[in-house]
Amino acid sequence: MPVLINNVVFRDGVQVMRVDLHTHTEVSHDCRTPLRSVPAWMLRTNTRALAVTDHDQQRGGPELARIVADMGLDDRLSIIPGEEVTTSEGELIGLFLQERIPPKLTPEETAREIKAQGGLVMLQHGFDPLKRYRLRPEATARIAHQVDIVETFNSRLSRHHWNHVAAAWARERGLPECAGSDAHTLRDIGEAWVETPFRVIRTPESLIAALREGVVAGRWTHPVYAYGRKQWRTLNGRFRQER
């Protein structure tokens, strides 16, 4: 059983943390989560490493990293700059990006752009056929050799079954597995995670090592319920701001 001491979680005497590699913020067109609200929620949920993967935008990660540093938390929280890129055949995530990657490139071109920046290519959404922007199966097959990490738990898939399919695909190729909340509200952040021994993550190599030592877990939410909850949380947040 985990033990909580001064907001730090230990398991078998080892400090552990959660890693969520698929989140959205106010930088995304479909999300209103303020960047300044994220650090406190990360501490509250023990999500000590977070990838900011806004839709076709990269600036959210660096902006959040500056906020974390200004708060004196950069030795406790790790922010990974990323982007959920809209390719010509569906979405693909790049992690550790130095600059924005434009949309509508081919999947192969997008993967090459990610690698050129020293980043990691992450395949998200599993193989869910009902995910509107999932990478098409034929594109996934073509870039399989370029994938570095596979999201094997996404909280927003139509069925949990597709997470299992993604896990099998990753294990066949010996690829690291990760989890992503696909958060579009603040309270969604950390609903899917890899639990791993605590460390500060600054490089692709340190992330891969953390994932290899971790365990994938999370809470799956039916997308219809998740959409309704998102609308409620958004409206509730606006109401509180206006009071």
Side-chain angles (χ1 to χ4, degrees):
M1 292 291 292
V3 177
L4 180 64
I5 303 174
N6 296 327
N7 206 35
V8 176
V9 179
F10 292 87
R11 191 181 296 277
D12 298 327
V14 176
Q15 183 181 349
V16 295
M17 66 177 184
R18 291 181 175 184
V19 180
D20 183 349
L21 295 185
H22 187 175
T23 67
H24 298 274
T25 72
E26 60 188 325
V27 177
S28 285
H29 64 86
D30 59 351
C31 181
R32 294 180 178 273
T33 300
L35 287 165
R36 290 196 171 274
S37 300
V38 174
W41 187 257
M42 290 178 67
L43 290 172
R44 179 174 174 177
T45 59
N46 197 38
T47 307
R48 302 291 177 128
L50 186 78
V52 179
T53 56
D54 288 306
H55 296 292
D56 297 320
Q57 297 292 336
Q58 181 267 354
R59 64 182 175 85
E63 289 183 16
L64 181 56
R66 284 191 289 271
I67 291 170
V68 166
D70 289 345
M71 297 173 70
L73 295 172
D74 51 353
D75 61 340
R76 299 167 63 188
L77 301 178
S78 301
I79 306 301
I80 299 167
E83 179 183 346
E84 188 164 34
V85 186
T86 305
T87 80
S88 60
E89 297 180 62
E91 293 176 331
L92 197 60
I93 284 178
L95 301 176
F96 294 98
L97 298 183
Q98 307 301 313
E99 58 186 39
R100 176 179 181 265
I101 294 175
K104 303 305 181 183
L105 300 175
T106 66
E108 291 89 342
E109 290 170 333
T110 301
R112 284 197 295 269
E113 288 289 326
I114 293 169
K115 302 276 191 180
Q117 295 187 32
L120 297 174
V121 176
M122 177 176 140
L123 181 64
Q124 79 281 30
H125 296 156
F127 295 82
D128 186 350
L130 296 184
K131 266 291 185 184
R132 183 179 177 186
Y133 297 111
R134 69 160 179 157
L135 196 66
R136 294 177 185 172
E138 56 271 26
T140 299
R142 295 200 312 269
I143 69 159
H145 66 288
Q146 295 174 288
V147 173
D148 298 298
I149 301 172
V150 182
E151 183 183 74
T152 61
F153 195 110
N154 179 296
S155 295
R156 301 291 176 266
L157 298 187
S158 63
R159 292 171 56 205
H160 190 39
H161 162 77
W162 299 112
N163 285 322
H164 296 309
V165 173
W169 192 88
R171 290 165 191 167
E172 286 173 5
R173 292 159 178 79
L175 292 171
E177 299 178 38
C178 74
S181 61
D182 207 350
H184 282 74
T185 73
L186 179 64
R187 290 180 174 271
D188 291 338
I189 292 174
E191 287 202 341
W193 64 87
V194 172
E195 185 179 276
T196 189
F198 174 81
R199 75 197 72 195
V200 175
I201 294 175
R202 296 283 183 263
T203 65
E205 293 77 16
S206 59
L207 175 61
I208 295 295
L211 297 179
R212 293 285 192 192
E213 292 182 41
V215 177
V216 174
R219 291 184 290 273
W220 175 78
T221 304
H222 192 282
V224 173
Y225 177 77
Y227 177 78
R229 187 174 63 181
K230 174 188 172 183
Q231 298 302 107
W232 164 250
R233 286 176 174 174
T234 300
L235 289 171
N236 192 42
R238 287 183 189 173
F239 174 75
R240 291 183 177 182
Q241 290 175 359
E242 293 170 359
R243 290 184 63 182

